[in-house]
């Protein structure tokens, strides 16, 4: 069902500064930047490995666009750091349904729009050992 790590989401206050740190210190390539208003984030995807073909892995740097967003709330409580982990699948709706069948709360009954044209669904951290978990179906275009 889940076949790879798609990305690790990292919450930050200053997207430009955090992007520069990961690019210049670790040498990761900036693959993509976008604003996702539904999720309340401005985000940068830094490619760790692969070639944007649906099999690559990324760091997803997240800066909130509004104070009531999940990432703003997380930053206020915890400060900067790892916010979620995202696993890849070829069928986000089917995989979310199967995981929900194990008693895990699926936060998105209908998959939503994620980075780079992907479809995503979140699982409640309290049902996943304290880890906010995202399921990602990469875009065919990616
Ligand atoms: N990781 C682990 N635990 C988390 C968490 C996170 N990222 N965010 C919240 N929690 C925990 C809190 O610590 C808190 O625990 P306690 O009750 O023990 O104190 C509990 O969950 C409730 O926290 P809250 O601050 O009241 O937050 P909410 O219940 O309002 O929201 C959640 C939590 C997971 C439902 C919400 O953040 C959500 O819907 N997230 C999914 C969407 C998202 O994160 N979008 C941004 C990323 C977009 C992308 O990746 O593309
Ligand atoms: Co994510």
């Amino acid at each position: 069902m889940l076949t790879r790590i798609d990305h690790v989401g990292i919450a930050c206050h200053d997207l430009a500064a955090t992007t520069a740190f990961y690019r210049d210190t670790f040498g990761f390539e900036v693959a993509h930047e976008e604003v996702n208003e539904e999720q309340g984030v401005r985000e940068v995807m830094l490619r760790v490995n692969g070639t944007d073909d649906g099999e690559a892995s990324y760091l997803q740097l997240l800066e909130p666009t509004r104070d009531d967003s999940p990432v703003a709330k997380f930053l206020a409580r915890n400060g900067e750091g790892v916010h979620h982990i995202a696993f890849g699948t070829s069928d986000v709706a089917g995989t979310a349904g199967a995981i929900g069948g194990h008693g895990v709360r699926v936060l998105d009954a209908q998959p939503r729009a994620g980075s780079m044209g992907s479809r995503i669904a979140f699982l409640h951290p309290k049902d996943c050992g304290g880890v906010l978990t995202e399921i990602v179906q990469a875009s065919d275009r990616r």
Side-chain angles (χ1 to χ4, degrees), residues 6-10 43 45 60 62 83-86 114-115 120 122 134 136:
D6 185 277
H7 64 267
V8 175
I10 297 173
E43 60 177 72
M45 299 294 271
Q60 181 184 44
L62 301 160
H83 178 257
H84 65 273
I85 187 161
S115 303
I120 62 174
F122 282 91
E134 177 184 350
V136 182

Side-chain angles (χ1 to χ4, degrees), residues 96 99-106 123-124 127-128:
I99 292 171
H102 288 268
V104 172
R105 278 168 286 173
V106 179
L123 308 174
H124 202 288
D127 299 339
C128 297

